[in-house]
C-alpha cells in the first residue's frame, strides 16, 4: 500500500485506507483496497505516540517488545 500511495501522492501527504461500516461496504473485489484523501480538509490523526515509539525502527521495536515480554 505504501508503494501505491507514493505513486499518487507526495510523501508528506496524509492518505488513509478507509474501512466503512459493514452496512456501507461496496465490495466488488476481495483483493482490492482503497486509499482516500479529502481535497479541502485535513485528515484528523491521533498523536504519534498513540501509534508507536517515535524514532524507533521496526527491528528496534521488535527487540524492545521481546525484552518487555521476557520480563513479564
Amino acid at each position: 500500500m505504501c508503494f501505491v500511495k507514493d505513486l499518487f501522492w507526495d510523501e508528506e501527504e496524509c492518505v488513509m485506507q478507509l474501512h466503512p461500516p459493514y452496512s456501507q461496504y461496496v465490495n466488488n473485489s476481495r483483493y482490492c483496497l482503497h486509499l482516500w484523501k479529502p481535497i479541502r480538509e485535513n485528515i484528523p490523526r491521533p498523536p504519534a505516540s498513540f501509534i508507536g515509539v517515535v524514532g524507533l525502527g521496526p527491528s528496534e521495536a521488535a527487540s524492545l517488545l521481546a525484552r518487555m515480554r521476557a520480563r513479564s
Side-chain angles (χ1 to χ4, degrees), residues 5 8-10 12-18 34-43 45:
K5 186 264 185 186
F8 297 98
W9 289 280
D10 182 72
E12 288 300 313
E13 289 184 89
C14 181
V15 175
M16 68 177 139
Q17 182 179 327
L18 193 62
H34 297 274
L35 295 173
W36 183 78
K37 179 181 184 244
I39 294 172
R40 294 181 186 90
E41 298 176 38
N42 289 323
I43 297 172
R45 293 177 285 184

Side-chain angles (χ1 to χ4, degrees), residues 45-65:
R45 293 177 285 184
S49 61
F50 284 21
I51 298 166
V53 179
V54 176
L56 205 61
S59 60
E60 297 162 314
S63 176
L64 177 61
L65 183 60

